[in-house]
Amino acid sequence: QVAASLALNEFIDQSLSVTYLLNYQYKPYYKWSHYGLKDCHCLKDMQTDIQELLQCNHKEVMIEKICQKVILELNRQHLTSHYDDFLDNHTMNVMSHIQSDIIKKKHVMEG
């Protein structure tokens, strides 16, 4: 149960991060990051979606819904060209748009 809670927290944190990135905004300090979503135009339902994720019984369904919204936004912004349900399969498409040589040379898992 602890591992599941940690995984859920990590998913929420990364969902917040990708929302800010796709809105070309800096993610605020962690305790303000959920509140600040109200000012994001892309993925504007993320604030509600995360709240629903925390309250629902079938978290995997809500996680899939959030992932699908992120994939649609990646497509809308032309950062990926396919609609695969698994976000990891979009990694190389998104990374191909990186312009900085320094960042391009970093490993995909490097923060």
Side-chain angles (χ1 to χ4, degrees):
Q1 192 171 5
V2 172
S5 292
L6 288 170
L8 179 62
N9 288 337
E10 185 66 20
F11 177 81
I12 291 169
D13 186 51
Q14 294 303 315
S15 296
L16 292 165
S17 294
V18 76
T19 302
Y20 283 102
L21 285 170
L22 290 171
N23 278 278
Y24 297 91
Q25 295 180 21
Y26 287 103
K27 181 180 163 192
Y29 187 62
Y30 80 93
K31 65 185 204 178
W32 298 110
S33 58
H34 182 258
Y35 177 78
L37 292 176
K38 66 179 180 45
D39 298 324
C40 293
H41 301 291
C42 299
L43 298 169
K44 60 183 176 183
D45 295 335
M46 188 64 75
Q47 190 176 41
T48 305
D49 290 344
I50 289 173
Q51 196 64 40
E52 186 177 335
L53 172 60
L54 289 169
Q55 295 171 350
C56 72
N57 291 327
H58 300 288
K59 298 199 182 310
E60 61 279 355
V61 173
M62 196 62 209
I63 287 169
E64 289 293 327
K65 180 178 174 184
I66 289 170
C67 290
Q68 277 298 314
K69 287 182 177 185
V70 170
I71 291 166
L72 288 173
E73 184 58 30
L74 289 171
N75 271 279
R76 192 187 73 73
Q77 291 191 27
H78 306 290
L79 295 171
T80 189
S81 58
H82 54 92
Y83 292 90
D84 191 301
D85 287 345
F86 191 54
L87 271 170
D88 195 43
N89 292 339
H90 297 270
T91 303
M92 295 319 229
N93 276 353
V94 172
M95 289 184 69
S96 72
H97 295 279
I98 296 172
Q99 295 177 1
S100 166
D101 289 334
I102 295 169
I103 296 173
K104 269 186 184 180
K105 290 177 184 175
K106 292 187 179 215
H107 186 272
V108 67
M109 297 301 289
E110 191 174 347

